């Protein structure tokens, strides 16, 4: 059995450390206060800064980037950090925009991270949709990531990425038995698009976990931005894991150990 050390940096950004590997998700390190435009009349203001700076996080082996084209998943300071990262995994169009060393993965495509003194990590891209049916044309592609390695006892570590609760997302557990899920929430909405949502709510996360039955749920992407409209529900720290599981609402900047 391995132990995963999970540190929520803020927003969607988390540091995953296991068996010598240091993996960072969706780097966002800008200071709060700025408003970012997301296209098609949408925008959001960053209301909280990261609990740790990029310098405090330090060197990482890889970045798992749900998507590159929205600042709440990759802001200016996060983009600058990528220059020092040996491996960046993201969507296919995202990799084209970012250039080397970014590599694009299609849904269910896999790649490996290798090191002579560590277990090989297999990274599997998982499907996601950042909004309603047909949204990809306007909103762009997103991806999640499943992490597996020899020595796991409780199933894959799955980072959902920014997505709504689609039938494909619901079925991820059929192809990738999940023991730990880093679930992106926030219930994102914008005034210009009315009731349409672009990420899961707390209720959606709970419904997904009822189907997955993970051992551990690690919620992220629910605070720090004005377009996270489900933040009040997240602040109540509800239980998302089914019976027998544990939901860890990690305090930003404070490492938490999880058996995987």
């Amino acid at each position: 059995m391995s132990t995963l050390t999970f540190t929520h940096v803020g927003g969607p950004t988390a540091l995953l450390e296991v068996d010598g590997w240091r993996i960072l998700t969706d780097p966002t390190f800008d200071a709060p206060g700025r408003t970012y435009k997301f296209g098609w009349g949408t925008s959001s203001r960053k209301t909280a800064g990261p609990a740790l700076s990029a310098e405090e996080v330090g060197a990482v082996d890889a970045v798992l980037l749900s998507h590159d084209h929205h600042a709440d998943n990759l802001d200016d300071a996060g983009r600058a950090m990528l220059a020092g990262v040996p491996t960046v995994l993201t969507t296919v169009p995202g990799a084209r925009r970012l250039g080397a060393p970014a590599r694009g993965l299609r849904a269910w495509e896999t790649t490996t991270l290798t090191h002579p003194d560590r277990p090989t990590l297999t990274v599997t891209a998982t499907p996601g949709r950042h909004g309603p049916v047909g949204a990809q044309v306007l909103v762009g592609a997103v991806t999640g990531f499943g992490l597996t390695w020899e020595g796991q006892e409780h199933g894959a570590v799955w980072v959902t990425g920014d997505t709504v609760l689609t039938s494909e997302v619901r079925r991820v557990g059929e192809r990738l038995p999940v023991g730990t899920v880093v679930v992106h929430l926030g219930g994102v909405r914008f005034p210009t698009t009315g009731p349409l949502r672009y990420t899961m709510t707390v209720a959606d996360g709970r419904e997904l976990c009822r189907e997955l039955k993970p051992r551990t749920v690690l919620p992220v992407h629910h605070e720090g931005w004005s377009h996270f409209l489900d933040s009040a529900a997240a602040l109540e720290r509800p239980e998302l894991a089914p019976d027998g599981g544990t939901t860890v609402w990690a305090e930003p900047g404070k490492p938490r150990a999880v058996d995987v």
Side-chain angles (χ1 to χ4, degrees):
M1 182 174 63
S2 300
T3 298
L4 172 73
T5 300
F6 172 84
T7 306
H8 186 198
V9 176
T13 310
L15 179 64
L16 312 178
E17 299 175 273
V18 63
D19 292 343
W21 290 102
R22 306 183 83 244
I23 311 296
L24 190 72
T25 68
D26 290 339
T28 54
F29 291 102
D30 283 359
R34 178 177 164 190
T35 295
Y36 300 77
K37 296 185 182 301
F38 294 156
W40 298 96
T42 63
S43 64
S44 183
R45 182 171 54 87
K46 189 167 188 179
T47 60
L52 301 171
S53 67
E55 292 73 23
E56 288 171 323
V57 168
V60 299
D61 299 295
V63 163
L64 306 180
L65 181 59
S66 168
H67 56 297
D68 69 299
H69 53 283
H70 294 152
D72 62 314
N73 292 82
L74 183 67
D75 59 17
D76 292 346
R79 193 175 294 269
M81 179 192 185
L82 295 185
V85 177
T87 301
V88 178
L89 301 178
T90 188
T91 65
V92 170
R96 286 198 294 263
R97 287 187 291 264
L98 291 170
R103 177 181 174 185
L105 298 175
R106 295 177 174 83
W108 299 116
E109 187 176 358
T110 64
T111 190
T112 57
L113 303 179
T114 61
H115 187 282
D117 300 320
R118 306 171 193 164
T120 296
L121 296 187
T122 298
V123 184
T124 302
T126 60
R129 193 181 75 218
H130 202 7
V133 174
Q136 182 168 326
V137 175
L138 300 178
V139 182
V142 297
T143 187
F145 302 94
L147 302 176
T148 55
W149 62 90
E150 187 176 351
Q152 276 181 323
E153 185 173 315
H154 302 298
V157 175
W158 178 33
V159 182
T160 68
D162 281 14
T163 183
V164 293
L165 186 56
T166 70
S167 58
E168 284 188 308
V169 171
R170 291 175 187 273
R171 293 198 298 269
V172 163
E174 297 175 7
R175 297 183 61 168
L176 187 75
V178 175
T180 301
V181 56
V182 181
V183 59
H184 287 218
L185 301 174
V188 167
R189 288 186 298 173
F190 299 99
T192 56
T193 54
L196 299 179
R197 292 194 182 273
Y198 297 87
T199 61
M200 286 186 279
T201 63
V202 164
D204 293 331
R206 183 181 293 111
E207 185 174 344
L208 174 64
C209 291
R210 278 201 299 264
E211 300 184 25
L212 285 175
K213 297 179 174 57
R215 175 185 174 91
T216 307
V217 181
L218 300 163
V220 299
H221 195 269
H222 52 76
E223 43 67 51
W225 290 81
S226 63
H227 65 318
F228 292 172
L229 296 185
D230 200 36
S231 295
L235 286 173
E236 296 176 359
R237 302 293 191 262
E239 187 66 33
L240 303 183
D243 291 345
T246 301
T247 303
V248 179
W249 293 88
E251 181 181 350
K254 304 296 185 182
R256 295 291 298 268
V258 177
D259 289 337
V260 292

